[in-house]
Amino acid sequence: MFPHPLIEQYHQAGQGQVFVFFNELNSTAQQQLLAEAAEIDLAEVARLTRTLLHQTVVGRDNSGLAPAPYESLPETGGSTTEWAAAKAAGEAALRSGRVAVFTVAGGQGTRLGYDGPKGTFVVTPVKAKSLFQVFAEKILAAGRRYGRPLHWFIMTSHQNHAATEEYFRAQRHFGLEPARVHFFRQGRMPAVDYGGKIMLEHHGAIALSPDGHGGSLRALERSGALDLMAREGIDTLSYFQVDNPLVRAIDPAFIGWHLRRGSEMSSKTVPKAYAAEKVGHFCMQGGRLVVVEYSDLPMAMQQEADATGRLRFIAGSIGIHVLDREFIRRVAEGGEGVALPFHRADKKIPTIDSTGQPVKPAKANGVKFEMFVFDALPFAKNPVVIETRRGEDFSPVKNATGVDSPQTCRDDQLRQFARWLRANGATIETDASGLPSAVVEVGPLFGYDEDTFAEAWNRLHPKPAIAAGLYLG
Ligand code: UTP
């Protein structure tokens, strides 16, 4: 007789090791372990073990892969009229209140190595604002501009949920109406060892980790966020990642392209800076739009060039999308073969051995399973990819040093502020890369993109002197 029916199910599924220390736990710890065990879909774990763990890995099937078409910016050959029409449509959508904002902030941020929710990491050069503050101010400013305050959905993880909510409370939601800022946790998946056994983190806890940014679609559904959107008349979600302060969080032209094309999911692209740049690639395969990760596209293909010497697989994916509410529901429900696939990641997973002693592995000792949001693209009707300027949309903080680090992100913000100032007649000294010598900052409440900055700057009388420490906010 097992002390709980769930324990029996685990034994029957060959996962009885999860409860091997159960009798040593006090009753609170027992309840916690049972609650964690109840979160896990054992049939799903068995399927993933069969398909991702035990099958010999042959790599992705790249047959018939071709570069995906995308809408070029006017300055690189796109139609000025189409872009203007898209922007007008996006602005109308914002004025009608059908758009909300969605930030995925459930990642573990291991590469950055910062202790705390990544959104609380300080990024701006003068005022030392956090990522969350930058987004909050963009959202506040856009709400004012279009006369409709925006709802903001923020996906957290079990690990950072309480700290994220507490941070927003302490900062008084940066002036946003708390009732329009919605936090919800993403799902978790257990790590398994190379024998497919669910691993324990310690005697009373399963080694669980977030189920990837693709888990956001399920989480939006399960948390009731989609229903809330429906009640509020919201059908369009502007999606971005928490690590990218440059993002145009609310971009009317992007929203307009998406709506005018009747798209269910749209994406932004930047041309890859060099062949080996570590971004996903927008491709077509079997008539569908797919993103192929850099690790899955052979380097020879990444280096292929056309007759003009331009990379063939040029369209890089930067984790910025617009999604239709009912499309999210369809994918989240996973009916009719539209479920997102899981990917396998081999990791060093802190665990315990069969005697209960802690193990800190020196090399990968198991596998985590994650879903990626871009895997929803092949299921979307009329997906559209539009080009964006890297300097106006993308400079993530991923690593502690080197590429995509706090330093590169700070420099990219400074270059952007310098560009905006210069474009509007200010004199500002920069080096050849556009980096100004004076450290200045433009707050989103002053201007959050080229248009809003130009309007605010041109209203300013007299104009301030451009000097180190200048803050426009
Ligand atoms: P990354 O793939 O950069 O992962 O996430 P990460 O967890 O932030 O960082 P590392 O790999 O541990 O260093 C891209 C975006 O997706 C979110 C992250 O918060 C970030 O905004 N994300 C990632 C989630 O919300 N949930 C996840 O399970 C994974």
Side-chain angles (χ1 to χ4, degrees):
M1 267 299 281
F2 292 103
H4 193 282
L6 197 58
I7 303 182
E8 185 172 349
Q9 278 175 32
Y10 268 69
H11 274 273
Q12 278 169 3
Q15 300 287 7
Q17 77 288 348
V18 167
F19 293 100
V20 57
F21 301 108
F22 191 73
N23 293 333
E24 297 169 20
L25 303 174
N26 66 31
S27 64
T28 317
Q30 287 184 340
Q31 289 314 312
Q32 272 169 6
L33 181 59
L34 284 166
E36 285 189 359
E39 257 183 55
I40 296 170
D41 179 343
L42 287 172
E44 187 169 68
V45 173
R47 182 175 56 78
L48 295 175
T49 302
R50 222 174 31 247
T51 53
L52 293 179
L53 201 66
H54 291 157
Q55 223 174 44
T56 340
V57 183
V58 287
R60 191 184 186 283
D61 170 17
N62 284 337
S63 55
L65 213 58
Y70 61 85
E71 298 303 330
S72 299
L73 285 163
E75 68 247 36
T76 56
S79 149
T80 313
T81 330
E82 285 287 309
W83 277 87
K87 187 173 168 194
E91 287 180 332
L94 285 158
R95 277 194 293 272
S96 74
R98 62 189 279 200
V99 182
V101 187
F102 180 31
T103 307
V104 286
Q108 293 175 305
T110 22
R111 284 170 288 172
L112 183 61
Y114 166 68
D115 190 22
K118 200 165 178 180
T120 67
F121 189 75
V122 160
V123 285
T124 72
V126 174
K127 288 289 178 184
K129 293 180 187 177
S130 66
L131 288 157
F132 277 139
Q133 181 169 3
V134 172
F135 304 137
E137 292 184 0
K138 288 184 181 187
I139 293 165
L140 187 57
R144 287 180 184 158
R145 182 174 177 81
Y146 296 107
R148 293 294 289 248
L150 291 141
H151 282 267
W152 186 15
F153 296 91
I154 300 174
M155 185 178 80
T156 61
S157 64
H158 283 252
Q159 215 179 354
N160 69 23
H161 185 82
T164 305
E165 279 196 321
E166 182 46 40
Y167 177 73
F168 272 80
R169 256 195 308 274
Q171 303 295 330
R172 297 171 181 275
H173 294 72
F174 303 105
L176 292 166
E177 227 180 289
R180 287 178 192 272
V181 186
H182 314 279
F183 303 93
F184 58 91
R185 290 180 183 82
Q186 71 176 105
R188 299 190 283 189
M189 287 296 286
V192 300
D193 66 18
Y194 288 117
K197 300 287 182 199
I198 294 174
M199 297 170 78
L200 288 177
E201 188 179 322
H202 58 74
H203 294 59
I206 298 172
L208 290 165
S209 53
D211 58 1
H213 42 64
S216 63
L217 305 186
R218 282 183 180 186
L220 279 164
E221 153 95 319
R222 283 182 192 159
S223 65
L226 296 183
D227 294 333
L228 191 151
M229 285 171 64
R231 284 198 301 279
E232 294 286 325
I234 297 163
D235 61 4
T236 303
L237 208 49
S238 170
Y239 168 108
F240 58 86
Q241 304 184 336
V242 76
D243 51 23
N244 178 21
L246 238 61
V247 68
R248 286 179 195 254
I250 302 96
D251 181 346
F254 187 28
I255 294 162
W257 275 109
H258 169 87
L259 293 173
R260 278 167 52 87
R261 286 282 174 86
S263 164
E264 288 186 319
M265 179 168 177
S266 305
S267 306
K268 277 189 180 172
T269 182
V270 293
K272 278 180 74 174
Y274 47 94
E277 190 182 7
K278 291 184 172 177
V279 290
H281 305 78
F282 287 106
C283 299
M284 295 303 291
Q285 190 171 36
R288 290 168 176 230
L289 180 65
V290 294
V291 170
V292 182
E293 286 184 275
Y294 60 86
S295 47
D296 283 334
L297 194 66
M299 191 41 77
M301 287 176 84
Q302 297 196 41
Q303 287 169 338
E304 273 175 36
D306 65 15
T308 67
R310 193 167 187 260
L311 292 177
R312 244 185 108 227
F313 290 93
I314 186 94
S317 167
I318 51 174
I320 306 175
H321 306 282
V322 175
L323 291 127
D324 173 72
R325 184 192 70 221
E326 290 311 302
F327 172 66
I328 298 173
R329 202 187 295 279
R330 188 150 58 83
V331 176
E333 286 170 355
E336 297 161 49
V338 291
L340 292 191
F342 276 93
H343 297 254
R344 155 192 183 158
D346 293 57
K347 299 268 178 182
K348 292 180 218 162
I349 298 154
T351 184
I352 49 176
D353 65 19
S354 57
T355 66
Q357 291 306 306
V359 177
K360 286 234 174 320
K363 59 182 177 64
N365 59 335
V367 164
K368 291 184 178 181
F369 299 112
E370 281 194 348
M371 289 177 280
F372 299 150
V373 76
F374 53 71
D375 280 332
L377 283 168
F379 305 125
K381 288 196 196 97
N382 309 323
V384 47
V385 182
I386 68 160
E387 184 186 4
T388 189
R389 292 178 208 103
R390 188 184 289 259
E392 296 292 335
D393 236 332
F394 187 58
S395 184
V397 179
K398 297 272 186 206
N399 305 304
T401 54
V403 289
D404 296 341
S405 64
Q407 181 68 46
T408 55
C409 179
R410 177 179 181 275
D411 290 352
D412 286 339
Q413 291 173 67
L414 289 170
R415 288 188 186 96
Q416 181 184 54
F417 303 146
R419 257 194 326 273
W420 290 354
L421 283 160
R422 229 182 225 165
N424 288 282
T427 305
I428 180 162
E429 208 178 287
T430 66
D431 68 11
S433 77
L435 187 66
S437 43
V439 175
V440 297
E441 181 173 330
V442 178
L445 294 172
F446 182 86
Y448 59 88
D449 57 17
E450 292 141 317
D451 288 357
T452 51
F453 176 84
E455 285 170 21
W457 178 258
N458 291 318
R459 271 197 309 266
L460 260 192
H461 290 294
K463 308 279 188 245
I466 310 293
L470 172 69
Y471 173 67
L472 298 166

